[in-house]
Amino acid sequence: MTTHSPFAPDAPDAPIAPVAPAMEAISLSKDFRLGRGQTLHAVRDVSFNLYSGGVVALVGESGSGKSTAARLLAGQERLTSGTIKLAGELVSVGTQHAFRKYKSKVQYVFQDPFSSLNPVHTVSYHLERPVRLHQKGADVGTEINTLMEQVRLTPAKQFLAKYPHELSGGQRQRVSFARALAARPTVLLADEPVSMLDVSIRLEMLALLDDLRKRLRIAMLYITHDIASARYFADEVLVMYAGQIVERGPAEEITQQPRHPYTQLLIASAPDPDNLGSTLHRGSVTRRDKPAEGPAATGCPFSTRCPLVTDQCRAENPALIPLSGTRAAACWHLDQTDAGGGPQLVPHLL
């Protein structure tokens, strides 16, 4: 009998990921020295698995450590501590050959498609190079046409001779997707892939990514500040604040019944036509009299902004506490949220 990932969607045509993960992030940490003896803990003890055909969303505001975590997985930053495994094998990219081999399996899609594409080269050039590099002996023309079909830029000849500035934002991002797929990766790291696109085409682009991960069985990390899009696109949601995961679990449960005060803040701030987080008592939300302070240096990092803060919060940083099933949250006051009737979103949280 085959065992499946707990985050596989319930839909009959949805991908069902095996237990063996495509990629494992184990206790990842990254520190940056700021000078004068100061250190920025950008990522702190972050762990999660990516499964073939599944999507994990890393959600948080700017500066929460989402992109740094993705750069660690992409090999663009050195780990301070922790371990990365790809298909069960320990990742070591110390040499150029090892790094190139790793990049053939793990690809990164950047937030801004215009800056990630070379303005002096055509679409054809952007796709030809990775095909020649990662698919030795392949028919380049055939592979390029296949890539263009996969990202729905057809007919291909209409786009291949164009330069990035001659394309729309959505078309440029599709080219970025095609370039990443040219390596035939098993893992795709998508860093805010739709945030710079017009609102009218964001859903279309997410639908494209959803189709690609299902058909090509790609394990995907979706980085976003928009928890509403994570609800519709991801299987599992990890909420990050100040470099650490403060809540995690199935996307629908996280967005409908958030338990951590920071997750409640994100949802209360997210416009959604389907009334995302309808269990939240939005009427009790008011703005703070002063701007929100930054993360606390000691104790719970959210203690400077949390209305439930106590002396224990200021002194001790809580670990992730198992809730039910695959749910977990890092808060000393989970007993003050109502898991049954919806969390009580307390005043002055914003």
Side-chain angles (χ1 to χ4, degrees):
M1 181 177 68
T2 303
T3 308
H4 300 115
S5 162
F7 299 109
D10 294 330
D13 61 341
I16 300 178
V19 160
M23 173 175 275
E24 299 169 76
I26 306 169
S27 300
L28 304 187
S29 294
K30 177 63 180 179
D31 298 337
F32 293 100
R33 296 183 181 276
L34 303 179
R36 298 185 179 181
Q38 293 183 315
T39 300
L40 172 64
H41 304 290
V43 177
R44 300 193 281 184
D45 195 27
V46 168
S47 299
F48 56 88
N49 294 335
L50 301 179
Y51 294 92
S52 297
V55 179
V56 172
L58 210 50
V59 180
E61 61 193 22
S62 297
S64 61
K66 310 183 302 298
S67 294
T68 301
R71 288 196 296 270
L72 292 173
L73 295 179
Q76 296 178 359
E77 295 282 358
R78 290 186 178 274
L79 288 165
T80 299
S81 63
T83 301
I84 300 172
K85 291 184 178 181
L86 183 65
E89 299 289 332
L90 187 65
V91 171
S92 176
V93 291
T95 66
Q96 183 175 359
H97 175 74
F99 183 69
R100 179 174 294 181
K101 184 178 180 181
Y102 180 70
K103 292 299 292 181
S104 70
K105 298 298 182 183
V106 180
Q107 285 288 303
Y108 197 111
V109 175
F110 295 90
Q111 178 179 4
D112 184 0
F114 194 80
S115 63
S116 66
L117 299 176
N118 193 323
V120 303
H121 291 302
T122 63
V123 171
S124 180
Y125 177 88
H126 283 93
L127 300 183
E128 181 178 337
R129 288 194 71 237
V131 168
R132 292 189 184 278
L133 184 63
H134 297 289
Q135 299 185 40
K136 303 294 185 181
D139 185 293
V140 176
T142 300
E143 290 295 331
I144 289 177
N145 285 329
T146 299
L147 291 169
M148 296 293 280
E149 291 175 2
Q150 287 177 338
V151 298
R152 301 173 190 169
L153 284 177
T154 55
K157 61 181 180 181
Q158 181 179 329
F159 300 95
L160 290 175
K162 290 187 175 182
Y163 292 86
H165 72 275
E166 297 178 304
L167 303 174
S168 68
Q171 290 170 342
R172 284 194 292 267
Q173 194 63 297
R174 288 173 190 267
V175 173
S176 295
F177 294 158
R179 181 176 59 178
L181 295 176
R184 294 184 177 175
T186 58
V187 176
L188 187 66
L189 310 173
D191 190 356
E192 301 268 11
V194 300
S195 64
M196 296 194 69
L197 304 179
D198 291 341
V199 175
S200 59
I201 63 173
R202 288 181 185 177
L203 186 59
E204 180 182 342
M205 299 303 291
L206 287 177
L208 172 61
L209 284 175
D210 189 51
D211 176 64
L212 290 173
R213 61 105 169 190
K214 289 178 179 179
R215 286 194 295 111
L216 303 179
R217 304 295 298 162
I218 296 176
M220 193 174 299
L221 179 66
Y222 173 59
I223 298 170
T224 183
H225 62 272
D226 181 10
I227 198 169
S229 67
R231 173 196 178 190
Y232 294 112
F233 182 50
D235 306 316
E236 182 184 14
V237 168
L238 311 179
V239 181
M240 284 191 73
Y241 183 77
Q244 67 185 55
I245 295 175
V246 297
E247 187 165 5
R248 68 187 304 163
E252 188 70 16
E253 293 183 28
I254 288 286
T255 53
Q256 290 304 301
Q257 293 187 335
R259 298 295 302 276
H260 194 282
Y262 178 62
T263 311
Q264 296 177 15
L265 166 63
L266 290 178
I267 291 177
S269 304
D272 185 58
D274 290 339
N275 194 21
L276 176 67
S278 58
T279 56
L280 292 176
H281 300 286
R282 295 175 183 268
S284 63
V285 179
T286 60
R287 293 193 175 275
R288 298 173 64 98
D289 294 331
K290 59 180 180 179
E293 300 178 40
T298 59
C300 174
F302 195 60
S303 61
T304 55
R305 301 170 64 182
C306 183
L308 303 178
V309 63
T310 61
D311 289 340
Q312 183 183 23
C313 303
R314 298 185 181 97
E316 302 177 63
N317 190 6
L320 281 169
I321 301 171
L323 298 174
S324 61
T326 54
R327 291 287 304 275
C331 180
W332 292 118
H333 303 294
L334 294 174
D335 58 331
Q336 296 187 39
T337 60
D338 179 11
Q344 304 294 320
L345 191 61
V346 289
H348 69 271
L349 187 58
L350 297 179

